[in-house]
Amino acid sequence: MTKPARKPQVPNFSSGPCAKRPGYDVAQLDLRALGRSHRSRLGKELLGACSTETARILGLPAGYRVGVVPASDTGAVEMALWSLLGPRGVDMLAWESFGSGWIKDVVQQLKLPNVTRHEADYGQLPDLRKVNFANDVVFTWNGTTSGVRVPDGDWIPQERAGLTICDATSAIFAMDMPWHKLDVVTWSWQKVLGGEGGHGMLILGPRAVERLESYVPPWPLPKIFRLTSGGKLMEDIFAGSPINTPSMLCVADYLDALAWCERVGGVPGTIARSQANLKLVEDFVATHPWIHFLAQTPATRSNTSVCLTLDLPADQVKALARLLEMEGVAYDIAAYKDAPPGLRIWCGATVEKTDLEALMPWLEWGYGQVKG
């Protein structure tokens, strides 16, 4: 195959931090709060907007709270696990590295005695019918390192005794979320909206708040994990006063991303952009027999972290990823280190379809080059 002439205008296909929104310019950010205290009236106003605008754009039900928390999605998940788990058994779901990490934390760190594990290999989902919702349930919505997502929320009952705790970091703003069936949801800015890293977001539904105010964990909680004071939820966290000092530059960046989300049609618009990107990759895979989706069932294919395997030895797959980076057409698309050898192409809303269209011929060309 002849070497393609057209290159993606933005070759950033990393699965985190992800591509900035189209037309992004740091000079367009509202930088009034730089050099100011996050506890100033302006700082609280902007941080509060991170919560209220997120809730409004996502269409969260009444009574659901949104807060900015430390340490990205990891910090948000750990806050939930350490603060909420204990009074019931726990069903843990894992089909890739991050879900497996949450199991390790619950079993080895919290040392909870009544843990049921539902696990599957990369490319598959565990049997969702076996999940016991009399227990608390911890799961990822979209497996960022496997490209496998839960297909919908139909497997979660509306009436349940336990809490549902959902790590949705590469799903929020790209997939429909059944909010009434989710008691805790976590994510981070650097994924679907292309924000900056280091800050987590935590959504608490009323059932989670009730648990926090009626249950005290038997283990010590570090300050950055504490969500209650005197037996009551620390409401300030969800109203512009986070536990620790945030980056006001990152706050400005996130508010810019939310405004862009609205300009492209809100959550339906960002979902549509991600779906269109996935469809383009699906069409390419369907006509090239040497490349395959790691997700074995079409309904479970991620429309953000699209993971692919190739009919090549592992060293040649890595060589392909390096070659495309050297050509300046695709950065950071090698599979996650613990995943099967392959490619992982971010197809979230901030990636332009035209850039993916330009990338596909380079995949074919690069495959021919490394295969020899």
Side-chain angles (χ1 to χ4, degrees):
M1 178 183 175
T2 303
K3 189 174 185 178
R6 177 188 170 202
K7 294 185 177 182
Q9 287 191 323
V10 180
N12 299 337
F13 299 103
S14 162
S15 290
C18 301
K20 307 300 287 186
R21 66 165 177 83
Y24 177 83
D25 182 352
V26 70
Q28 297 176 5
L29 301 183
D30 178 358
L31 302 179
R32 290 175 295 152
L34 261 61
R36 295 286 307 276
S37 169
H38 67 293
R39 302 192 190 283
S40 67
R41 180 180 297 179
L42 175 61
K44 289 183 177 180
E45 174 188 324
L46 295 174
L47 280 159
C50 290
S51 296
T52 57
E53 285 297 280
T54 295
R56 181 181 64 83
I57 293 170
L58 289 177
L60 296 183
Y64 277 65
R65 296 159 171 86
V66 184
V68 179
V69 299
S72 195
D73 178 63
T74 301
V77 174
E78 296 289 9
M79 288 179 78
L81 300 184
W82 285 70
S83 298
L84 291 163
L85 296 185
R88 290 181 176 272
V90 187
D91 276 34
M92 303 286 301
L93 281 67
W95 55 92
E96 47 93 53
S97 60
F98 289 102
S100 297
W102 307 142
I103 290 178
K104 184 179 293 185
D105 285 350
V106 169
V107 173
Q108 297 183 10
Q109 300 298 319
L110 295 180
K111 302 184 187 300
L112 294 183
N114 186 10
V115 177
T116 302
R117 301 161 66 144
H118 306 269
E119 297 176 276
D121 291 334
Y122 278 82
Q124 303 178 47
L125 276 179
D127 189 344
L128 302 178
R129 297 169 298 180
K130 294 182 178 179
V131 178
N132 178 10
F133 288 92
N135 291 336
D136 295 329
V137 177
V138 180
F139 69 102
T140 57
W141 191 274
N142 179 78
T144 310
T145 65
S146 70
V148 175
R149 52 163 293 179
V150 294
D152 49 47
D154 293 350
W155 59 286
I156 305 172
Q158 186 67 53
E159 300 298 326
R160 58 196 179 277
L163 299 178
T164 49
I165 300 174
C166 176
D167 171 2
T169 194
S170 54
I172 292 284
F173 294 102
M175 304 173 194
D176 284 318
M177 310 295 291
W179 298 114
H180 287 289
K181 294 184 174 183
L182 303 174
D183 299 304
V184 181
V185 181
T186 69
W187 80 100
S188 50
W189 294 346
Q190 75 265 26
K191 293 294 186 180
V192 178
L193 295 188
E196 291 301 298
H199 299 75
M201 295 294 280
L202 177 67
I203 294 176
L204 296 179
R207 300 178 73 249
V209 174
E210 181 182 9
R211 170 74 65 83
L212 286 167
E213 295 185 339
S214 62
Y215 165 68
V216 178
W219 42 77
L221 283 178
K223 180 179 179 180
I224 62 170
F225 284 4
R226 296 173 200 160
L227 292 166
T228 60
S229 177
K232 293 295 182 182
L233 183 71
M234 296 167 63
E235 295 281 4
D236 283 355
I237 295 173
F238 306 92
S241 295
I243 295 169
N244 68 333
T245 304
S247 163
M248 298 310 294
L249 180 58
C250 292
V251 167
D253 187 88
Y254 179 60
L255 292 173
D256 173 82
L258 287 176
W260 172 78
C261 175
E262 286 232 278
R263 291 198 298 274
V264 298
V267 175
T270 51
I271 290 176
R273 288 176 63 90
S274 295
Q275 283 296 119
N277 287 341
L278 172 61
K279 178 63 165 58
L280 191 148
V281 178
E282 287 178 329
D283 290 346
F284 180 83
V285 171
T287 55
H288 294 80
W290 47 266
I291 190 167
H292 321 277
F293 284 94
L294 182 56
Q296 297 183 7
T297 304
T300 68
R301 287 175 187 165
S302 171
N303 62 344
T304 56
S305 54
V306 176
C307 295
L308 304 164
T309 60
L310 292 81
D311 294 340
L312 291 173
D315 60 335
Q316 291 185 357
V317 174
K318 293 179 180 178
L320 172 58
R322 289 195 300 268
L323 175 62
L324 296 181
E325 180 163 347
M326 289 174 56
E327 292 288 343
V329 297
Y331 296 141
D332 312 317
I333 64 168
Y336 188 74
K337 60 184 178 64
D338 295 330
L343 304 178
R344 181 173 59 158
I345 301 173
W346 185 256
C347 288
T350 57
V351 172
E352 293 277 42
K353 184 180 177 183
T354 52
D355 286 331
L356 280 168
E357 289 172 340
L359 173 61
M360 294 300 108
W362 283 96
L363 291 182
E364 185 173 9
W365 173 81
Y367 174 80
Q369 294 297 304
V370 300
K371 186 176 175 61

